[in-house]
Amino acid sequence: MANTYHAIIILPGTTGTSLVINQSDEASTSPLWTTQALKEAALPASAAIVAGEMSESLYAGMPAGFDTTNSGYGALINSIVTAANASNPNSYSFQYAYWPTNTPPNMPENALPWLNSDLTGNTVIGWGYDWRQDNLLVSAQMLQNFLNYLVNSQNVGKITLIGHSMGGLVARSYLESVGKSDNTIIGMIDQLITLGTPHLGAPMALAPISNTMSTSVAGDDSLNPFIQIFDDWLAGLEQIAADNVLAMFHAFVNGSMGVSTYQLLPPNLSSDTLSNFITYSGPKVTTESYPIYPFANLPTPVQKRLNNTNFNSTNLAAAEKLFSNLNYTSAPPVPYHCIYGVVSTTEPSATTAATGTITGFTAAPGELFDTVLTPVWTDGGGDTIVPIYSAMFSTNSNVTTYGVNGADHIHMPSNAGVQSQVNALLGFSAS
């Protein structure tokens, strides 16, 4: 049979895929890392234990929330399938995929199939992957393996990539580095659509890396999406529970499996918007603004602070390698369409969590000659996670951009405005 099927592949963001212990549980809809891990981490003195469990060898299962149609990636997939079939009934179906091995990028001959069933026509695929891994050396390689599987074994002749958040970086790592010489596969890819992807980094990533991530709990009354979700998971979140969960994130991110979080930091570009990522107000420093990369460009007090919080130099080197293999100004190998969210919030009160989007940090001397890193929250400056300039890939004039008011980062896949724009780019409906 000729390669005629169209595969639309949804790549989740960080923490957007279930991670499970056993191969037989690879299609689990109860992700190990989310509900179970957070509930355990919320308990006293257990954050380090959970962080250790998260660093063990786990399998990548389905995209989180895949089994629902009203939230998460399932909502986006359902929206695309519904729009596609509106004018041509039963022309598209949906499936999920998962990694057939927990030792990527190797694929043993006896590995389980990528898909839950063989393709019989056009499909929208939720592609589960291990978001802890190196986006360039592991995840992009596994994406290449998966695309070859679709073309060689599943009669796929046209491919569309849709990446939410870090999923867009995985897709770019394949397109611009790992698979750039594979003219056959690249020639089948019609476009990359990114949803809130931190093309120019997410300054928020520095918070768990530098152990400055903190928040005040306000439960369901909070304007912060993170706190709302924590409260839903943990049923009445207490401050000590939130602190324990954040401690788990810090320990995990700076461990051997936290490399992908480092790859969310802003790269060392000459853009004026990025040069103010860290502003140091301490003494004996003649230049006030420093880009995060290379590490040596940061003021000595800031370097000391990061080193004192177990800043992982191996993860940093992997991030620099990722950045050196991506293009920030030249034309991409396929059309890039960047969708970004704009969320305006009210000024936080003393009892609510910080709102807005972290667009940078200020660094100032603290007690005992330590350095205090304080995030800068910008109201309306992004989608609460990724700044506007980053999600719209502002350094590259070769991409097209689409803003969606009210689309926050976490709920972007289920946002009606985002879904409408995605379907318009796919040619399934008007924007």
Side-chain angles (χ1 to χ4, degrees), residues 200 266-280 287-293 297-298 359-361 389:
L200 303 180
N268 182 26
L269 302 176
S270 60
S271 170
D272 291 338
T273 55
L274 293 178
S275 66
N276 292 319
F277 176 44
I278 293 183
T279 300
Y280 180 70
T287 303
E288 292 184 354
S289 298
Y290 298 82
I292 186 63
Y293 293 115
N297 284 2
L298 291 173
T359 55
F361 284 80
Y389 69 81

Side-chain angles (χ1 to χ4, degrees), residues 175-354:
L175 291 167
E176 299 172 25
S177 181
V178 172
K180 66 180 181 180
S181 61
D182 190 346
N183 296 328
T184 300
I185 301 295
I186 296 293
M188 294 181 180
I189 301 174
D190 68 331
Q191 61 181 314
L192 166 64
I193 302 172
T194 65
L195 316 178
T197 289
H199 296 285
L200 303 180
M204 178 180 279
L206 185 63
I209 289 172
S210 61
N211 198 19
T212 58
M213 195 172 182
S214 63
T215 190
S216 297
V217 170
D220 287 333
D221 296 328
S222 172
L223 294 173
N224 189 312
F226 277 129
I227 301 303
Q228 294 176 10
I229 290 177
F230 279 176
D231 188 71
D232 289 342
W233 275 335
L234 304 179
L237 193 64
E238 299 292 339
Q239 185 63 54
I240 187 172
D243 292 342
N244 286 341
V245 170
L246 296 181
M248 180 270 288
F249 274 115
H250 169 250
F252 165 71
V253 163
N254 287 306
S256 60
M257 295 298 289
V259 57
S260 64
T261 303
Y262 276 71
Q263 293 174 328
L264 297 177
L265 289 169
N268 182 26
L269 302 176
S270 60
S271 170
D272 291 338
T273 55
L274 293 178
S275 66
N276 292 319
F277 176 44
I278 293 183
T279 300
Y280 180 70
S281 59
K284 299 180 181 180
V285 177
T286 56
T287 303
E288 292 184 354
S289 298
Y290 298 82
I292 186 63
Y293 293 115
F295 183 53
N297 284 2
L298 291 173
T300 300
V302 177
Q303 292 186 39
K304 179 180 178 181
R305 166 58 190 262
L306 295 176
N307 282 326
N308 286 344
T309 55
N310 299 318
F311 197 63
N312 192 310
S313 59
T314 300
N315 291 350
L316 179 63
E320 292 175 329
K321 184 176 181 63
L322 171 77
F323 302 144
S324 67
N325 278 273
L326 298 183
N327 300 316
Y328 292 94
T329 57
S330 60
V334 302
Y336 284 6
H337 303 286
C338 305
I339 299 176
Y340 62 93
V342 183
V343 179
S344 295
T345 59
T346 58
E347 205 57 36
S349 68
T351 58
T352 60

Side-chain angles (χ1 to χ4, degrees), residues 52-123:
E53 293 174 345
M54 284 290 294
S55 297
E56 296 176 356
S57 180
L58 299 172
Y59 291 97
M62 296 195 306
F66 185 90
D67 59 327
T68 68
T69 57
N70 297 317
S71 63
Y73 300 105
L76 176 60
I77 292 171
N78 184 65
S79 168
I80 295 172
V81 171
T82 300
N85 292 340
S87 58
N88 188 5
N90 302 317
S91 58
Y92 281 78
S93 63
F94 64 88
Q95 295 215 35
Y96 65 84
Y98 45 80
W99 287 13
T101 172
N102 66 354
T103 56
N106 298 318
M107 293 177 57
E109 293 297 327
N110 61 348
L112 290 178
W114 283 95
L115 294 167
N116 56 316
S117 63
D118 288 336
L119 300 188
T120 57
N122 301 328
T123 186

